[in-house]
Amino acid sequence: MGEMSGFQLGVMGALFLSVASSVSIVICNKALMSNLGFQFATTLTSWHLMVTYCSLHAALRLNLFEKKAIDMKTVVMFGMLNGISIGLLNLSLGFNSIGFYQMTKLAIIPFTVLLETIFFNKQFSNNIKLSLSILLMGVGIASVTDLQLNLVGTILSLLAIVTTCIGQILTNTIQKRLNVSSTQLLYQSAPFQSAILFLTGPFVDQFLTKQNVYAYKYSPLVLGFIVVSCLIAVLVNFSTFLVIGKTSPVTYQVLGHLKTCLVLAFGYTLLHDPFTWRNILGILVAVVGMGMYSYFCTNEAKRKQPHPSPPPPVKDKDANTPLLASPQPKESKDSAV
């Protein structure tokens, strides 16, 4: 019972950290890109991952966590896949309208459910599907504005959906099958994610913004915001792996749409962004969907918990057996990919 309460507290802490850090970095990046004119999102993301790796390396040196060996092929492929998915999402935004980009993000949830059902035989109840449908409808009402289709943009969006879903499913699968923590996986994969974005980011950003990131004039204020953004990104990247490892890729996507609603509400209350009845209605519908999803997930988790069986009767021949007898050591086998 104590272990279950501790696990639930860990999940709640991971969810809170993810929401708080994600909303904070959106605020910081909005000021950096909208007010200060620094538009190089992909390159900035590569810097985020570099700082994340350096921070985790320092934590490793301080013995705050232990490094665990993971098959190099798995780490390289996983890191590159996540890096590519980020680049494709940025390209999708560049080739599509804001509305179609939001539809791309919405499509990640049903596609993740489809992949987990087909390849992992994971079953989702009708209640879960209903709550996800209501959630998607609410976020769609609140955030989707216009839909302008083009062939290149559609292909990029499909590739972004596929790579993002597979990357998030692998995040959950690798942690559970190889028994590695979110910190251990992030530490080993961050260099490869950062490298692929560092190499491709300047070209992607120049294609989208018609500006060169290295020709940009960096003022002390811009550099200060970049440093703050990178520091917050450490928490964002860590909490992303933590949430997916403790819950599931679908739950992480649901959490992502909660962040979308919070950012919309924040933009209205503090930044005085345009806000209509449609935004309000969409956020309310999305909150209802998220509440239903949380309720159904909690109930299903309780039903799946094994009921403790009564202890077997003590036989006479065991009467002299010490209560604190040390168990015999068992041979352990390392997990293999």
Side-chain angles (χ1 to χ4, degrees), residues 82 108 112 163-172 244 249 252-253:
N82 278 279
I108 292 175
T112 302
T163 53
T164 301
C165 291
I166 294 176
Q168 291 177 1
I169 291 173
L170 285 178
T171 301
N172 180 270
I244 296 176
Y252 175 73
Q253 285 299 325

Side-chain angles (χ1 to χ4, degrees), residues 52-71:
T52 298
Y53 173 73
C54 293
S55 302
L56 290 177
H57 188 69
L60 180 65
R61 291 284 184 170
L62 295 172
N63 296 320
L64 298 180
F65 72 96
E66 294 182 0
K67 182 179 178 180
K68 188 167 183 178
I70 306 177
D71 175 56

Side-chain angles (χ1 to χ4, degrees), residues 234-256:
V234 175
L235 298 178
V236 173
N237 291 323
F238 173 73
S239 62
T240 296
F241 279 64
L242 192 62
V243 168
I244 296 176
K246 285 184 173 293
T247 57
S248 70
V250 174
T251 299
Y252 175 73
Q253 285 299 325
V254 171
L255 190 67

Side-chain angles (χ1 to χ4, degrees), residues 151-174:
L151 180 60
V152 176
T154 302
I155 293 174
L156 288 171
S157 293
L158 289 174
L159 291 174
I161 291 170
V162 172
T163 53
T164 301
C165 291
I166 294 176
Q168 291 177 1
I169 291 173
L170 285 178
T171 301
N172 180 270
T173 304
I174 291 173

Side-chain angles (χ1 to χ4, degrees), residues 94-121:
F95 274 91
N96 295 303
S97 64
I98 297 295
F100 193 78
Y101 176 73
Q102 291 294 339
M103 287 297 295
T104 298
K105 295 175 68 176
L106 289 178
I108 292 175
I109 284 187
F111 197 79
T112 302
V113 170
L114 178 64
L115 287 180
E116 291 197 312
T117 302
I118 294 175
F119 294 103
F120 295 92
N121 295 321

Side-chain angles (χ1 to χ4, degrees), residues 103-295:
M103 287 297 295
T104 298
K105 295 175 68 176
L106 289 178
I108 292 175
I109 284 187
F111 197 79
T112 302
V113 170
L114 178 64
L115 287 180
E116 291 197 312
T117 302
I118 294 175
F119 294 103
F120 295 92
N121 295 321
K122 188 172 182 179
Q123 300 298 320
F124 295 88
S125 66
N126 291 330
N127 288 333
I128 294 293
K129 294 176 182 177
L130 174 63
S131 62
L132 291 176
S133 299
I134 294 174
L135 166 68
L136 292 173
M137 181 175 66
V139 177
I141 292 172
S143 60
V144 175
T145 52
D146 59 314
L147 292 177
Q148 298 175 5
L149 301 179
N150 65 81
L151 180 60
V152 176
T154 302
I155 293 174
L156 288 171
S157 293
L158 289 174
L159 291 174
I161 291 170
V162 172
T163 53
T164 301
C165 291
I166 294 176
Q168 291 177 1
I169 291 173
L170 285 178
T171 301
N172 180 270
T173 304
I174 291 173
Q175 289 187 58
K176 291 183 176 178
R177 289 191 178 179
L178 301 185
N179 194 26
V180 296
S181 68
S182 56
T183 308
Q184 291 167 331
L185 179 58
L186 179 59
Y187 173 70
Q188 297 204 44
S189 63
F192 300 102
Q193 295 183 58
S194 176
I196 193 167
L197 290 177
F198 185 77
L199 293 174
T200 61
F203 299 102
V204 173
D205 289 333
Q206 185 165 12
F207 178 77
L208 296 177
T209 65
K210 311 303 180 185
Q211 300 178 54
N212 189 332
V213 63
Y214 298 113
Y216 181 83
K217 295 181 179 180
Y218 292 87
S219 67
L221 184 60
V222 170
L223 289 174
F225 269 93
I226 290 175
V227 170
V228 172
S229 178
C230 288
L231 293 176
I232 299 174
V234 175
L235 298 178
V236 173
N237 291 323
F238 173 73
S239 62
T240 296
F241 279 64
L242 192 62
V243 168
I244 296 176
K246 285 184 173 293
T247 57
S248 70
V250 174
T251 299
Y252 175 73
Q253 285 299 325
V254 171
L255 190 67
H257 292 311
L258 169 61
K259 299 170 192 174
T260 299
C261 294
L262 289 176
V263 169
L264 287 173
F266 170 82
Y268 172 67
T269 55
L270 296 183
L271 302 180
H272 306 292
D273 288 345
F275 214 65
T276 65
W277 65 268
R278 177 177 173 175
N279 299 120
I280 298 173
L281 175 63
I283 289 176
L284 291 176
V285 173
V287 168
V288 170
M290 284 181 283
M292 292 173 61
Y293 178 80
S294 300
Y295 175 77

